[in-house]
Amino acid sequence: MAAAILAVLTVFQLALIAGAPLGHLAWGGQHKVLTPRLRVGSAVSIVLYGVFAYIALARAGVTAPFLSGSFTDVTSWVLTAYFGLGVVMNGISRSRPERLTMTPTALALALLYLVLSLS
């Protein structure tokens, strides 16, 4: 499930990079169409989502860990905390649409990584 949510977020970030007027849902919601600098941020996000998804799949036993099982274990806890922080950060966004869409998304990812970390 975590990898699927991250795949959807990847498509969303690709749309932002392509100039889709969805900026009110991301990066603080200040720009309808992202600036070039924020588009670079979206590209970096896509790379990170790939790493995050791989960690989820490795932790779930779908794929082999890249470095070691211990690295995957620790990283899944770090990502649990990261997405937990994302809940807070999205929850205080000035953009109401971002709060309403990204806060539950971050919460779902935080809970899913928590389940993976505990398993």
PDB file of all heavy atoms in Angstrom, residues 10-48:
ATOM      1  N   THR A  10       4.099  10.087  -7.169  1.00  0.00           N
ATOM      2  CA  THR A  10       5.045  10.280  -8.271  1.00  0.00           C
ATOM      3  C   THR A  10       4.337  10.840  -9.494  1.00  0.00           C
ATOM      4  O   THR A  10       4.823  11.794 -10.124  1.00  0.00           O
ATOM      5  CB  THR A  10       5.748   8.948  -8.604  1.00  0.00           C
ATOM      6  OG1 THR A  10       6.533   8.560  -7.482  1.00  0.00           O
ATOM      7  CG2 THR A  10       6.632   9.075  -9.838  1.00  0.00           C
ATOM      8  N   VAL A  11       3.185  10.301  -9.829  1.00  0.00           N
ATOM      9  CA  VAL A  11       2.408  10.813 -10.964  1.00  0.00           C
ATOM     10  C   VAL A  11       2.010  12.268 -10.704  1.00  0.00           C
ATOM     11  O   VAL A  11       2.088  13.117 -11.602  1.00  0.00           O
ATOM     12  CB  VAL A  11       1.170   9.926 -11.232  1.00  0.00           C
ATOM     13  CG1 VAL A  11       0.254  10.551 -12.275  1.00  0.00           C
ATOM     14  CG2 VAL A  11       1.600   8.529 -11.655  1.00  0.00           C
ATOM     15  N   PHE A  12       1.609  12.568  -9.484  1.00  0.00           N
ATOM     16  CA  PHE A  12       1.256  13.931  -9.100  1.00  0.00           C
ATOM     17  C   PHE A  12       2.447  14.878  -9.287  1.00  0.00           C
ATOM     18  O   PHE A  12       2.318  15.958  -9.871  1.00  0.00           O
ATOM     19  CB  PHE A  12       0.771  13.938  -7.646  1.00  0.00           C
ATOM     20  CG  PHE A  12       0.567  15.300  -7.063  1.00  0.00           C
ATOM     21  CD1 PHE A  12      -0.439  16.132  -7.527  1.00  0.00           C
ATOM     22  CD2 PHE A  12       1.383  15.753  -6.038  1.00  0.00           C
ATOM     23  CE1 PHE A  12      -0.627  17.397  -6.976  1.00  0.00           C
ATOM     24  CE2 PHE A  12       1.200  17.004  -5.478  1.00  0.00           C
ATOM     25  CZ  PHE A  12       0.193  17.832  -5.953  1.00  0.00           C
ATOM     26  N   GLN A  13       3.614  14.462  -8.816  1.00  0.00           N
ATOM     27  CA  GLN A  13       4.811  15.304  -8.964  1.00  0.00           C
ATOM     28  C   GLN A  13       5.190  15.471 -10.438  1.00  0.00           C
ATOM     29  O   GLN A  13       5.619  16.556 -10.850  1.00  0.00           O
ATOM     30  CB  GLN A  13       5.988  14.720  -8.168  1.00  0.00           C
ATOM     31  CG  GLN A  13       5.795  14.713  -6.682  1.00  0.00           C
ATOM     32  CD  GLN A  13       5.784  16.097  -6.039  1.00  0.00           C
ATOM     33  OE1 GLN A  13       6.107  17.097  -6.653  1.00  0.00           O
ATOM     34  NE2 GLN A  13       5.398  16.142  -4.774  1.00  0.00           N
ATOM     35  N   LEU A  14       5.023  14.435 -11.232  1.00  0.00           N
ATOM     36  CA  LEU A  14       5.281  14.554 -12.680  1.00  0.00           C
ATOM     37  C   LEU A  14       4.347  15.579 -13.311  1.00  0.00           C
ATOM     38  O   LEU A  14       4.766  16.366 -14.167  1.00  0.00           O
ATOM     39  CB  LEU A  14       5.126  13.193 -13.365  1.00  0.00           C
ATOM     40  CG  LEU A  14       6.254  12.191 -13.146  1.00  0.00           C
ATOM     41  CD1 LEU A  14       5.848  10.815 -13.657  1.00  0.00           C
ATOM     42  CD2 LEU A  14       7.531  12.673 -13.826  1.00  0.00           C
ATOM     43  N   ALA A  15       3.101  15.573 -12.887  1.00  0.00           N
ATOM     44  CA  ALA A  15       2.144  16.559 -13.400  1.00  0.00           C
ATOM     45  C   ALA A  15       2.566  17.969 -13.000  1.00  0.00           C
ATOM     46  O   ALA A  15       2.489  18.906 -13.812  1.00  0.00           O
ATOM     47  CB  ALA A  15       0.736  16.252 -12.893  1.00  0.00           C
ATOM     48  N   LEU A  16       3.033  18.137 -11.782  1.00  0.00           N
ATOM     49  CA  LEU A  16       3.510  19.448 -11.337  1.00  0.00           C
ATOM     50  C   LEU A  16       4.713  19.902 -12.162  1.00  0.00           C
ATOM     51  O   LEU A  16       4.793  21.062 -12.571  1.00  0.00           O
ATOM     52  CB  LEU A  16       3.881  19.410  -9.849  1.00  0.00           C
ATOM     53  CG  LEU A  16       2.728  19.287  -8.867  1.00  0.00           C
ATOM     54  CD1 LEU A  16       3.260  19.051  -7.458  1.00  0.00           C
ATOM     55  CD2 LEU A  16       1.841  20.517  -8.910  1.00  0.00           C
ATOM     56  N   ILE A  17       5.627  18.986 -12.413  1.00  0.00           N
ATOM     57  CA  ILE A  17       6.806  19.311 -13.225  1.00  0.00           C
ATOM     58  C   ILE A  17       6.390  19.723 -14.626  1.00  0.00           C
ATOM     59  O   ILE A  17       6.955  20.655 -15.216  1.00  0.00           O
ATOM     60  CB  ILE A  17       7.780  18.113 -13.278  1.00  0.00           C
ATOM     61  CG1 ILE A  17       8.403  17.889 -11.906  1.00  0.00           C
ATOM     62  CG2 ILE A  17       8.854  18.324 -14.337  1.00  0.00           C
ATOM     63  CD1 ILE A  17       9.158  16.585 -11.772  1.00  0.00           C
ATOM     64  N   ALA A  18       5.366  19.065 -15.165  1.00  0.00           N
ATOM     65  CA  ALA A  18       4.886  19.355 -16.520  1.00  0.00           C
ATOM     66  C   ALA A  18       4.091  20.649 -16.603  1.00  0.00           C
ATOM     67  O   ALA A  18       3.716  21.087 -17.692  1.00  0.00           O
ATOM     68  CB  ALA A  18       4.035  18.189 -17.023  1.00  0.00           C
ATOM     69  N   GLY A  19       3.831  21.278 -15.461  1.00  0.00           N
ATOM     70  CA  GLY A  19       3.133  22.563 -15.469  1.00  0.00           C
ATOM     71  C   GLY A  19       1.652  22.503 -15.171  1.00  0.00           C
ATOM     72  O   GLY A  19       0.939  23.493 -15.372  1.00  0.00           O
ATOM     73  N   ALA A  20       1.186  21.373 -14.691  1.00  0.00           N
ATOM     74  CA  ALA A  20      -0.234  21.267 -14.330  1.00  0.00           C
ATOM     75  C   ALA A  20      -0.549  22.273 -13.213  1.00  0.00           C
ATOM     76  O   ALA A  20       0.259  22.470 -12.311  1.00  0.00           O
ATOM     77  CB  ALA A  20      -0.565  19.854 -13.867  1.00  0.00           C
ATOM     78  N   PRO A  21      -1.703  22.903 -13.278  1.00  0.00           N
ATOM     79  CA  PRO A  21      -2.060  23.915 -12.271  1.00  0.00           C
ATOM     80  C   PRO A  21      -2.556  23.297 -10.956  1.00  0.00           C
ATOM     81  O   PRO A  21      -3.673  23.541 -10.507  1.00  0.00           O
ATOM     82  CB  PRO A  21      -3.157  24.714 -12.970  1.00  0.00           C
ATOM     83  CG  PRO A  21      -3.803  23.727 -13.878  1.00  0.00           C
ATOM     84  CD  PRO A  21      -2.692  22.812 -14.335  1.00  0.00           C
ATOM     85  N   LEU A  22      -1.690  22.489 -10.360  1.00  0.00           N
ATOM     86  CA  LEU A  22      -2.035  21.789  -9.117  1.00  0.00           C
ATOM     87  C   LEU A  22      -1.159  22.232  -7.951  1.00  0.00           C
ATOM     88  O   LEU A  22      -1.135  21.586  -6.905  1.00  0.00           O
ATOM     89  CB  LEU A  22      -1.878  20.273  -9.309  1.00  0.00           C
ATOM     90  CG  LEU A  22      -2.740  19.637 -10.402  1.00  0.00           C
ATOM     91  CD1 LEU A  22      -2.334  18.194 -10.642  1.00  0.00           C
ATOM     92  CD2 LEU A  22      -4.202  19.743 -10.032  1.00  0.00           C
ATOM     93  N   GLY A  23      -0.447  23.316  -8.138  1.00  0.00           N
ATOM     94  CA  GLY A  23       0.478  23.781  -7.120  1.00  0.00           C
ATOM     95  C   GLY A  23      -0.167  24.121  -5.792  1.00  0.00           C
ATOM     96  O   GLY A  23       0.506  24.135  -4.768  1.00  0.00           O
ATOM     97  N   HIS A  24      -1.475  24.381  -5.798  1.00  0.00           N
ATOM     98  CA  HIS A  24      -2.169  24.674  -4.541  1.00  0.00           C
ATOM     99  C   HIS A  24      -2.207  23.460  -3.610  1.00  0.00           C
ATOM    100  O   HIS A  24      -2.518  23.584  -2.436  1.00  0.00           O
ATOM    101  CB  HIS A  24      -3.588  25.177  -4.826  1.00  0.00           C
ATOM    102  CG  HIS A  24      -4.457  24.193  -5.536  1.00  0.00           C
ATOM    103  ND1 HIS A  24      -4.285  23.861  -6.865  1.00  0.00           N
ATOM    104  CD2 HIS A  24      -5.494  23.453  -5.092  1.00  0.00           C
ATOM    105  CE1 HIS A  24      -5.188  22.957  -7.201  1.00  0.00           C
ATOM    106  NE2 HIS A  24      -5.935  22.690  -6.143  1.00  0.00           N
ATOM    107  N   LEU A  25      -1.845  22.286  -4.145  1.00  0.00           N
ATOM    108  CA  LEU A  25      -1.857  21.057  -3.356  1.00  0.00           C
ATOM    109  C   LEU A  25      -0.466  20.669  -2.839  1.00  0.00           C
ATOM    110  O   LEU A  25      -0.326  19.653  -2.165  1.00  0.00           O
ATOM    111  CB  LEU A  25      -2.394  19.907  -4.200  1.00  0.00           C
ATOM    112  CG  LEU A  25      -3.840  20.038  -4.677  1.00  0.00           C
ATOM    113  CD1 LEU A  25      -4.181  18.936  -5.652  1.00  0.00           C
ATOM    114  CD2 LEU A  25      -4.784  20.031  -3.498  1.00  0.00           C
ATOM    115  N   ALA A  26       0.565  21.454  -3.185  1.00  0.00           N
ATOM    116  CA  ALA A  26       1.928  21.060  -2.836  1.00  0.00           C
ATOM    117  C   ALA A  26       2.804  22.264  -2.539  1.00  0.00           C
ATOM    118  O   ALA A  26       2.497  23.390  -2.946  1.00  0.00           O
ATOM    119  CB  ALA A  26       2.539  20.258  -3.984  1.00  0.00           C
ATOM    120  N   TRP A  27       3.896  22.000  -1.861  1.00  0.00           N
ATOM    121  CA  TRP A  27       4.935  23.002  -1.612  1.00  0.00           C
ATOM    122  C   TRP A  27       4.379  24.267  -0.967  1.00  0.00           C
ATOM    123  O   TRP A  27       4.755  25.377  -1.318  1.00  0.00           O
ATOM    124  CB  TRP A  27       5.691  23.336  -2.897  1.00  0.00           C
ATOM    125  CG  TRP A  27       6.358  22.155  -3.522  1.00  0.00           C
ATOM    126  CD1 TRP A  27       5.970  21.516  -4.672  1.00  0.00           C
ATOM    127  CD2 TRP A  27       7.502  21.452  -3.044  1.00  0.00           C
ATOM    128  NE1 TRP A  27       6.808  20.462  -4.922  1.00  0.00           N
ATOM    129  CE2 TRP A  27       7.771  20.399  -3.930  1.00  0.00           C
ATOM    130  CE3 TRP A  27       8.325  21.603  -1.935  1.00  0.00           C
ATOM    131  CZ2 TRP A  27       8.826  19.514  -3.760  1.00  0.00           C
ATOM    132  CZ3 TRP A  27       9.379  20.718  -1.761  1.00  0.00           C
ATOM    133  CH2 TRP A  27       9.617  19.693  -2.669  1.00  0.00           C
ATOM    134  N   GLY A  28       3.448  24.102  -0.057  1.00  0.00           N
ATOM    135  CA  GLY A  28       2.882  25.238   0.652  1.00  0.00           C
ATOM    136  C   GLY A  28       1.717  25.892  -0.061  1.00  0.00           C
ATOM    137  O   GLY A  28       1.083  26.790   0.477  1.00  0.00           O
ATOM    138  N   GLY A  29       1.421  25.456  -1.267  1.00  0.00           N
ATOM    139  CA  GLY A  29       0.250  25.946  -1.993  1.00  0.00           C
ATOM    140  C   GLY A  29       0.321  27.377  -2.463  1.00  0.00           C
ATOM    141  O   GLY A  29      -0.701  27.967  -2.813  1.00  0.00           O
ATOM    142  N   GLN A  30       1.516  27.965  -2.506  1.00  0.00           N
ATOM    143  CA  GLN A  30       1.646  29.378  -2.861  1.00  0.00           C
ATOM    144  C   GLN A  30       1.560  29.649  -4.359  1.00  0.00           C
ATOM    145  O   GLN A  30       1.302  30.776  -4.763  1.00  0.00           O
ATOM    146  CB  GLN A  30       2.976  29.924  -2.324  1.00  0.00           C
ATOM    147  CG  GLN A  30       3.117  29.794  -0.820  1.00  0.00           C
ATOM    148  CD  GLN A  30       2.031  30.535  -0.057  1.00  0.00           C
ATOM    149  OE1 GLN A  30       1.714  31.668  -0.368  1.00  0.00           O
ATOM    150  NE2 GLN A  30       1.444  29.876   0.926  1.00  0.00           N
ATOM    151  N   HIS A  31       1.816  28.623  -5.170  1.00  0.00           N
ATOM    152  CA  HIS A  31       1.849  28.816  -6.624  1.00  0.00           C
ATOM    153  C   HIS A  31       0.893  27.844  -7.305  1.00  0.00           C
ATOM    154  O   HIS A  31       0.947  26.646  -7.050  1.00  0.00           O
ATOM    155  CB  HIS A  31       3.258  28.573  -7.170  1.00  0.00           C
ATOM    156  CG  HIS A  31       4.306  29.417  -6.517  1.00  0.00           C
ATOM    157  ND1 HIS A  31       4.526  30.718  -6.863  1.00  0.00           N
ATOM    158  CD2 HIS A  31       5.180  29.138  -5.518  1.00  0.00           C
ATOM    159  CE1 HIS A  31       5.499  31.209  -6.124  1.00  0.00           C
ATOM    160  NE2 HIS A  31       5.910  30.266  -5.289  1.00  0.00           N
ATOM    161  N   LYS A  32       0.044  28.363  -8.178  1.00  0.00           N
ATOM    162  CA  LYS A  32      -0.861  27.488  -8.937  1.00  0.00           C
ATOM    163  C   LYS A  32      -0.046  26.581  -9.857  1.00  0.00           C
ATOM    164  O   LYS A  32      -0.279  25.378  -9.937  1.00  0.00           O
ATOM    165  CB  LYS A  32      -1.862  28.326  -9.733  1.00  0.00           C
ATOM    166  CG  LYS A  32      -2.925  27.510 -10.403  1.00  0.00           C
ATOM    167  CD  LYS A  32      -3.974  28.390 -11.041  1.00  0.00           C
ATOM    168  CE  LYS A  32      -5.067  27.525 -11.637  1.00  0.00           C
ATOM    169  NZ  LYS A  32      -6.160  28.326 -12.183  1.00  0.00           N
ATOM    170  N   VAL A  33       0.913  27.173 -10.572  1.00  0.00           N
ATOM    171  CA  VAL A  33       1.863  26.434 -11.395  1.00  0.00           C
ATOM    172  C   VAL A  33       3.225  26.615 -10.735  1.00  0.00           C
ATOM    173  O   VAL A  33       3.613  27.730 -10.406  1.00  0.00           O
ATOM    174  CB  VAL A  33       1.875  26.969 -12.852  1.00  0.00           C
ATOM    175  CG1 VAL A  33       2.951  26.278 -13.673  1.00  0.00           C
ATOM    176  CG2 VAL A  33       0.501  26.775 -13.498  1.00  0.00           C
ATOM    177  N   LEU A  34       3.939  25.532 -10.551  1.00  0.00           N
ATOM    178  CA  LEU A  34       5.203  25.596  -9.818  1.00  0.00           C
ATOM    179  C   LEU A  34       6.263  26.413 -10.548  1.00  0.00           C
ATOM    180  O   LEU A  34       6.338  26.413 -11.777  1.00  0.00           O
ATOM    181  CB  LEU A  34       5.758  24.197  -9.575  1.00  0.00           C
ATOM    182  CG  LEU A  34       4.962  23.271  -8.668  1.00  0.00           C
ATOM    183  CD1 LEU A  34       5.762  22.000  -8.385  1.00  0.00           C
ATOM    184  CD2 LEU A  34       4.566  23.933  -7.370  1.00  0.00           C
ATOM    185  N   THR A  35       7.090  27.073  -9.750  1.00  0.00           N
ATOM    186  CA  THR A  35       8.244  27.788 -10.278  1.00  0.00           C
ATOM    187  C   THR A  35       9.294  26.769 -10.720  1.00  0.00           C
ATOM    188  O   THR A  35       9.236  25.594 -10.306  1.00  0.00           O
ATOM    189  CB  THR A  35       8.851  28.695  -9.195  1.00  0.00           C
ATOM    190  OG1 THR A  35       9.347  27.858  -8.138  1.00  0.00           O
ATOM    191  CG2 THR A  35       7.834  29.692  -8.642  1.00  0.00           C
ATOM    192  N   PRO A  36      10.263  27.176 -11.528  1.00  0.00           N
ATOM    193  CA  PRO A  36      11.323  26.231 -11.922  1.00  0.00           C
ATOM    194  C   PRO A  36      12.035  25.595 -10.725  1.00  0.00           C
ATOM    195  O   PRO A  36      12.330  24.401 -10.740  1.00  0.00           O
ATOM    196  CB  PRO A  36      12.276  27.094 -12.745  1.00  0.00           C
ATOM    197  CG  PRO A  36      11.390  28.140 -13.345  1.00  0.00           C
ATOM    198  CD  PRO A  36      10.378  28.446 -12.255  1.00  0.00           C
ATOM    199  N   ARG A  37      12.274  26.365  -9.694  1.00  0.00           N
ATOM    200  CA  ARG A  37      12.949  25.834  -8.514  1.00  0.00           C
ATOM    201  C   ARG A  37      12.098  24.756  -7.825  1.00  0.00           C
ATOM    202  O   ARG A  37      12.614  23.714  -7.396  1.00  0.00           O
ATOM    203  CB  ARG A  37      13.243  26.968  -7.554  1.00  0.00           C
ATOM    204  CG  ARG A  37      14.093  26.568  -6.397  1.00  0.00           C
ATOM    205  CD  ARG A  37      14.479  27.778  -5.584  1.00  0.00           C
ATOM    206  NE  ARG A  37      15.392  27.377  -4.540  1.00  0.00           N
ATOM    207  CZ  ARG A  37      15.919  28.195  -3.689  1.00  0.00           C
ATOM    208  NH1 ARG A  37      15.642  29.477  -3.746  1.00  0.00           N
ATOM    209  NH2 ARG A  37      16.722  27.755  -2.758  1.00  0.00           N
ATOM    210  N   LEU A  38      10.808  25.006  -7.706  1.00  0.00           N
ATOM    211  CA  LEU A  38       9.927  24.011  -7.091  1.00  0.00           C
ATOM    212  C   LEU A  38       9.782  22.778  -7.980  1.00  0.00           C
ATOM    213  O   LEU A  38       9.604  21.660  -7.473  1.00  0.00           O
ATOM    214  CB  LEU A  38       8.565  24.621  -6.779  1.00  0.00           C
ATOM    215  CG  LEU A  38       8.550  25.635  -5.638  1.00  0.00           C
ATOM    216  CD1 LEU A  38       7.164  26.255  -5.479  1.00  0.00           C
ATOM    217  CD2 LEU A  38       9.007  25.006  -4.330  1.00  0.00           C
ATOM    218  N   ARG A  39       9.881  22.951  -9.285  1.00  0.00           N
ATOM    219  CA  ARG A  39       9.832  21.792 -10.187  1.00  0.00           C
ATOM    220  C   ARG A  39      11.047  20.895  -9.967  1.00  0.00           C
ATOM    221  O   ARG A  39      10.932  19.666 -10.022  1.00  0.00           O
ATOM    222  CB  ARG A  39       9.749  22.244 -11.640  1.00  0.00           C
ATOM    223  CG  ARG A  39       8.414  22.852 -11.983  1.00  0.00           C
ATOM    224  CD  ARG A  39       8.349  23.329 -13.399  1.00  0.00           C
ATOM    225  NE  ARG A  39       7.146  24.121 -13.598  1.00  0.00           N
ATOM    226  CZ  ARG A  39       6.604  24.341 -14.771  1.00  0.00           C
ATOM    227  NH1 ARG A  39       7.133  23.860 -15.869  1.00  0.00           N
ATOM    228  NH2 ARG A  39       5.509  25.062 -14.860  1.00  0.00           N
ATOM    229  N   VAL A  40      12.194  21.506  -9.685  1.00  0.00           N
ATOM    230  CA  VAL A  40      13.378  20.711  -9.342  1.00  0.00           C
ATOM    231  C   VAL A  40      13.114  19.951  -8.038  1.00  0.00           C
ATOM    232  O   VAL A  40      13.446  18.774  -7.920  1.00  0.00           O
ATOM    233  CB  VAL A  40      14.633  21.609  -9.222  1.00  0.00           C
ATOM    234  CG1 VAL A  40      15.806  20.841  -8.625  1.00  0.00           C
ATOM    235  CG2 VAL A  40      15.011  22.182 -10.583  1.00  0.00           C
ATOM    236  N   GLY A  41      12.483  20.615  -7.078  1.00  0.00           N
ATOM    237  CA  GLY A  41      12.113  19.948  -5.835  1.00  0.00           C
ATOM    238  C   GLY A  41      11.190  18.765  -6.083  1.00  0.00           C
ATOM    239  O   GLY A  41      11.326  17.710  -5.449  1.00  0.00           O
ATOM    240  N   SER A  42      10.268  18.919  -7.019  1.00  0.00           N
ATOM    241  CA  SER A  42       9.375  17.814  -7.364  1.00  0.00           C
ATOM    242  C   SER A  42      10.152  16.656  -7.984  1.00  0.00           C
ATOM    243  O   SER A  42       9.862  15.488  -7.710  1.00  0.00           O
ATOM    244  CB  SER A  42       8.282  18.296  -8.326  1.00  0.00           C
ATOM    245  OG  SER A  42       7.346  19.090  -7.641  1.00  0.00           O
ATOM    246  N   ALA A  43      11.146  16.972  -8.806  1.00  0.00           N
ATOM    247  CA  ALA A  43      11.976  15.923  -9.413  1.00  0.00           C
ATOM    248  C   ALA A  43      12.761  15.169  -8.342  1.00  0.00           C
ATOM    249  O   ALA A  43      12.847  13.934  -8.373  1.00  0.00           O
ATOM    250  CB  ALA A  43      12.913  16.525 -10.449  1.00  0.00           C
ATOM    251  N   VAL A  44      13.296  15.893  -7.383  1.00  0.00           N
ATOM    252  CA  VAL A  44      14.014  15.257  -6.274  1.00  0.00           C
ATOM    253  C   VAL A  44      13.046  14.379  -5.475  1.00  0.00           C
ATOM    254  O   VAL A  44      13.394  13.260  -5.075  1.00  0.00           O
ATOM    255  CB  VAL A  44      14.696  16.318  -5.376  1.00  0.00           C
ATOM    256  CG1 VAL A  44      15.241  15.699  -4.104  1.00  0.00           C
ATOM    257  CG2 VAL A  44      15.796  17.040  -6.146  1.00  0.00           C
ATOM    258  N   SER A  45      11.819  14.871  -5.280  1.00  0.00           N
ATOM    259  CA  SER A  45      10.814  14.089  -4.560  1.00  0.00           C
ATOM    260  C   SER A  45      10.561  12.756  -5.242  1.00  0.00           C
ATOM    261  O   SER A  45      10.410  11.731  -4.569  1.00  0.00           O
ATOM    262  CB  SER A  45       9.497  14.872  -4.462  1.00  0.00           C
ATOM    263  OG  SER A  45       9.662  15.997  -3.654  1.00  0.00           O
ATOM    264  N   ILE A  46      10.518  12.756  -6.551  1.00  0.00           N
ATOM    265  CA  ILE A  46      10.267  11.522  -7.299  1.00  0.00           C
ATOM    266  C   ILE A  46      11.365  10.498  -7.020  1.00  0.00           C
ATOM    267  O   ILE A  46      11.088   9.316  -6.789  1.00  0.00           O
ATOM    268  CB  ILE A  46      10.132  11.810  -8.803  1.00  0.00           C
ATOM    269  CG1 ILE A  46       8.829  12.569  -9.062  1.00  0.00           C
ATOM    270  CG2 ILE A  46      10.199  10.523  -9.620  1.00  0.00           C
ATOM    271  CD1 ILE A  46       8.710  13.127 -10.468  1.00  0.00           C
ATOM    272  N   VAL A  47      12.605  10.952  -7.020  1.00  0.00           N
ATOM    273  CA  VAL A  47      13.727  10.049  -6.723  1.00  0.00           C
ATOM    274  C   VAL A  47      13.590   9.496  -5.301  1.00  0.00           C
ATOM    275  O   VAL A  47      13.738   8.290  -5.074  1.00  0.00           O
ATOM    276  CB  VAL A  47      15.077  10.776  -6.907  1.00  0.00           C
ATOM    277  CG1 VAL A  47      16.237   9.906  -6.438  1.00  0.00           C
ATOM    278  CG2 VAL A  47      15.264  11.191  -8.365  1.00  0.00           C
ATOM    279  N   LEU A  48      13.270  10.382  -4.361  1.00  0.00           N
ATOM    280  CA  LEU A  48      13.103   9.941  -2.974  1.00  0.00           C
ATOM    281  C   LEU A  48      11.946   8.964  -2.836  1.00  0.00           C
ATOM    282  O   LEU A  48      12.053   7.963  -2.107  1.00  0.00           O
ATOM    283  CB  LEU A  48      12.896  11.144  -2.060  1.00  0.00           C
ATOM    284  CG  LEU A  48      14.112  12.048  -1.875  1.00  0.00           C
ATOM    285  CD1 LEU A  48      13.745  13.285  -1.080  1.00  0.00           C
ATOM    286  CD2 LEU A  48      15.253  11.287  -1.226  1.00  0.00           C
TER     287      LEU A  48
END
